[in-house]
Amino acid sequence: MRIVAACVGLFLTSWAATAGAAANEPATLSIYNRDVITLRAPLLSYAPAERVAAARRRIEDALDRGGAGEVTLKPHAEGMLVEVDGRTVFAVQPADLDTLGDETLEMAATAARDRLSEAIAAAREAHGAGLWLRAAGWTALGTLIWLAILRLIHRTNRWLGRRVSAAVQERVEHLKVGGVVAVQSLHFGAIVRRTVTIVGWIVGLVATYGWLTFVLERFPFTRPWGEQLEGRLLEFFTHLGLSIVAALPGLFTVVVIVVITRAIIRLVRVFFDRVEAGEIRVGWLDAELARPTRRIVNVVLWLFALAMAYPYLPGANTDAFKGLSVLVGLMISIGASSIVAQAASGLILMYSRAFRVGEFVKIGDAEGTVAELTLFATRVRTGLSEEVVLPNAYVLSNVSRNFSRAAGSQGFTLHAKVTIGYDTPWRQVHAMLLAAAGRTVGVLTEPAPYVIQTGLSDFYVEYVLVVIAGSEAPRMRAEAMSALYSNIQDVFNEHGVQIMSPHYLEDPAQPKVVPEDRWYEAPAQPPTKPAL
């Protein structure tokens, strides 16, 4: 029983302490939606909440009596008394002061007097019929202006979105990276239109914020809310303006860095343009490498300028900006590894001079004319009217054969391989192959064609005819090869030598040759003879 009694006594003691602490919590006196003062300590036996309730009743009684509503202060032994028309409504004592600030008793009482005077004036103003009419009129006028502004924003947004989107699409169509269209104009135009729409929404929200502030300030009861909204808006724009002014020196430095970088890039461009045109000769730089080298120098200069301008950018020292920089760097390092590899391969191909635009090459299974050599890919146009795009990493990792380098800039090399049996004199085969080369249009006599025997197989000898085709040869290497093969067949048929190397057990009864009278069997057509 003693234990139970002790527990009950402890519970009651703790409950009484909690109730007493809750009863002594600060309470704020609000009159007509305006905070007048916060009472933090009990007075006599009255808790702060009871003091606030009693003060509110006295103020309402003073307003009901219809007096002048004059608020005055009167010193007292316990503090300062606040009176309305000579009647005390509440007292401010030293225990009510904010201990965390430098507020004095006189300052707290004066501030309470001013706020109470403002609240009484607003309460009396709200009871006038003329006020409501004027407030309603101003509200209607402000609403009409607000709706007109929203409509103007909507129309301007649509007109500006179309104009800006059309202008941007026209410019984006000419934007290419590595010879490839970087951005689809329609998609980029949609992004621009959405951006303009978002800006329009922001302007509309600002206009709505201003309209709401204006309407709330027309009525006495809601005027504090309007003043708070207005204060926050002014505080925001003031902070924004001060931030812009504080950022001007840094922005000026950034502009100076950009201007200097652009001037250097222009000088560099003049130099490389003259090297490309052949007006300036530099031992370490060819005319063909002038343009890619200029691009690399431009990238390096802009990266250096960005590194120099970074500390002067607004918000560069903030944690958000630093975190964003780290995130972008991480994304680039992870996602751009293949891009960096392709770019490095492209630089190696350019500066190693493995091949040039216009040369005939064979890379892997692709054979044709080099149409374009960019930083990321090589385009090869084959003789079958197709274009093959090869990533530079693939080009660098495969064996490439250049058929134009030995022949000079105006021609290319042709290789024709035939296999002839051992019963045919090799000197005759050489002579026939050289005769076929002489019949082919565009084959140069200097350097002279030649034949190489590359193998003595089980059933035949391998012969390779090597010729150099000049500027008169067909544009496509495949067409030149086709013409050379056709002439080889004609010469071998004329001399009764069969181009056939089967695996056989005994010689055929008749040579496998095509007589001249069967050269033009259907659907082939003999050439028309010129009229005498």
Side-chain angles (χ1 to χ4, degrees):
M1 293 298 293
R2 291 180 180 179
I3 296 176
V4 174
C7 292
V8 172
L10 181 60
F11 172 76
L12 294 176
T13 302
S14 61
W15 177 81
T18 304
N24 292 329
E25 288 184 356
T28 300
L29 173 62
S30 298
I31 302 298
Y32 214 73
N33 203 24
R34 286 164 174 79
D35 294 338
V36 177
I37 190 173
T38 299
L39 303 178
R40 295 179 172 82
L43 180 61
L44 299 179
S45 61
Y46 296 99
E50 295 174 338
R51 293 175 60 194
V52 167
R56 185 179 293 110
R57 288 194 301 270
R58 297 189 191 100
I59 294 172
E60 291 175 354
D61 292 340
L63 293 177
D64 293 338
R65 286 194 297 269
E70 183 181 2
V71 183
T72 56
L73 298 178
K74 182 179 179 180
H76 189 264
E78 298 295 334
M80 298 290 292
L81 299 179
V82 180
E83 298 180 344
V84 177
D85 294 335
R87 294 178 179 270
T88 302
V89 292
F90 62 87
V92 182
Q93 56 182 355
D96 293 325
L97 302 180
D98 186 5
T99 58
L100 298 179
D102 297 333
E103 189 179 31
T104 62
L105 183 62
E106 290 76 9
M107 294 171 57
T110 302
R113 180 196 63 188
D114 296 339
R115 289 192 286 264
L116 181 57
S117 299
E118 182 182 353
I120 292 175
R124 291 191 169 181
E125 183 183 5
H127 288 81
L131 170 70
W132 290 95
L133 293 177
R134 288 194 303 271
W138 282 111
T139 300
L141 179 61
T143 302
L144 291 177
I145 296 175
W146 170 62
L147 293 176
I149 292 175
L150 291 183
R151 185 171 182 80
L152 178 62
I153 292 173
H154 177 68
R155 290 190 173 184
T156 304
N157 180 34
R158 294 180 59 185
W159 176 81
L160 188 63
R162 290 194 298 266
R163 295 292 298 272
V164 174
S165 177
V168 170
Q169 287 185 25
E170 183 178 356
R171 292 180 177 271
V172 168
E173 290 177 354
H174 305 287
L175 180 61
K176 294 184 178 180
V177 176
V180 182
V181 178
V183 182
Q184 295 293 333
S185 59
L186 294 178
H187 297 169
F188 199 80
I191 294 174
V192 172
R193 285 194 298 271
R194 291 180 181 177
T195 303
V196 174
T197 302
I198 292 174
V199 173
W201 272 97
I202 293 175
V203 176
L205 290 176
V206 172
T208 304
Y209 190 97
W211 166 79
L212 182 60
T213 302
F214 175 80
V215 171
L216 291 176
E217 288 182 345
R218 297 309 99 194
F219 300 92
F221 186 80
T222 59
R223 189 171 297 155
W225 299 339
E227 292 173 351
Q228 290 179 4
L229 291 177
E230 183 180 4
R232 291 177 182 176
L233 184 62
L234 292 176
E235 182 181 357
F236 170 76
F237 282 110
T238 301
H239 178 71
L240 180 63
L242 293 176
S243 300
I244 293 175
V245 172
L248 287 179
L251 291 176
F252 177 76
T253 305
V254 172
V255 171
V256 171
I257 293 175
V258 171
V259 171
I260 294 176
T261 305
R262 287 179 61 86
I264 296 175
I265 287 177
R266 289 181 179 179
L267 294 176
V268 171
R269 180 176 183 177
V270 171
F271 170 75
F272 283 106
D273 286 347
R274 296 186 66 181
V275 172
E276 186 177 3
E279 300 177 3
I280 299 178
R281 296 186 180 275
V282 183
W284 55 270
L285 184 64
D286 293 343
E288 297 178 356
L289 298 178
R291 181 169 297 180
T293 305
R294 186 193 70 191
R295 293 176 180 174
I296 295 173
V297 172
N298 290 347
V299 171
V300 172
L301 289 174
W302 280 119
L303 290 176
F304 181 76
L306 179 61
M308 293 292 294
Y310 178 84
Y312 301 100
L313 294 175
N317 295 324
T318 61
D319 294 336
F321 203 97
K322 294 177 182 178
L324 181 62
S325 302
V326 173
L327 178 61
V328 172
L330 183 62
M331 293 173 61
I332 293 176
S333 62
I334 295 176
S337 57
S338 60
I339 297 178
V340 174
Q342 297 293 345
S345 301
L347 292 176
I348 294 174
L349 292 175
M350 290 178 185
Y351 287 96
S352 64
R353 301 176 178 87
F355 44 79
R356 298 182 178 91
V357 175
E359 293 182 340
F360 290 92
V361 298
K362 183 176 182 180
I363 304 170
D365 296 332
E367 179 179 340
T369 306
V370 178
E372 188 177 17
L373 175 59
T374 63
L375 195 62
F376 299 101
T378 300
R379 297 177 181 273
V380 177
R381 191 171 293 117
T382 68
L384 303 177
S385 298
E386 62 182 5
E387 186 176 85
V388 182
V389 180
L390 304 174
N392 284 335
Y394 172 83
V395 176
L396 195 63
S397 61
N398 283 270
V399 177
S400 60
R401 295 177 173 84
N402 195 323
F403 299 106
S404 299
R405 189 63 56 85
S409 59
Q410 299 297 325
F412 47 86
T413 305
L414 297 177
H415 298 157
K417 179 180 178 182
V418 295
T419 56
I420 306 300
Y422 285 96
D423 56 341
T424 303
W426 65 265
R427 294 178 180 85
Q428 180 184 17
V429 175
H430 281 216
M432 287 187 295
L433 290 175
L434 294 176
R439 293 184 183 184
T440 305
V441 177
V443 172
L444 301 179
T445 58
E446 286 296 334
Y450 59 93
V451 180
I452 297 178
Q453 295 176 213
T454 60
L456 300 177
S457 300
D458 292 339
F459 304 104
Y460 49 78
V461 182
E462 296 179 0
Y463 301 88
V464 177
L465 172 64
V466 181
V467 302
I468 305 297
S471 58
E472 296 180 358
R475 183 174 58 87
M476 296 292 185
R477 186 172 183 272
E479 297 176 3
M481 286 297 304
S482 177
L484 180 60
Y485 283 142
S486 299
N487 290 324
I488 289 174
Q489 294 179 66
D490 291 343
V491 172
F492 273 64
N493 285 331
E494 290 174 1
H495 293 83
V497 178
Q498 60 182 1
I499 306 176
M500 180 179 177
S501 304
H503 292 188
Y504 62 91
L505 298 177
E506 59 182 357
D507 290 329
Q510 298 294 331
K512 301 299 181 181
V513 298
V514 180
E516 186 175 357
D517 57 354
R518 295 181 55 197
W519 284 1
Y520 300 105
E521 288 190 354
Q525 298 292 333
T528 57
K529 297 182 178 180
L532 298 177

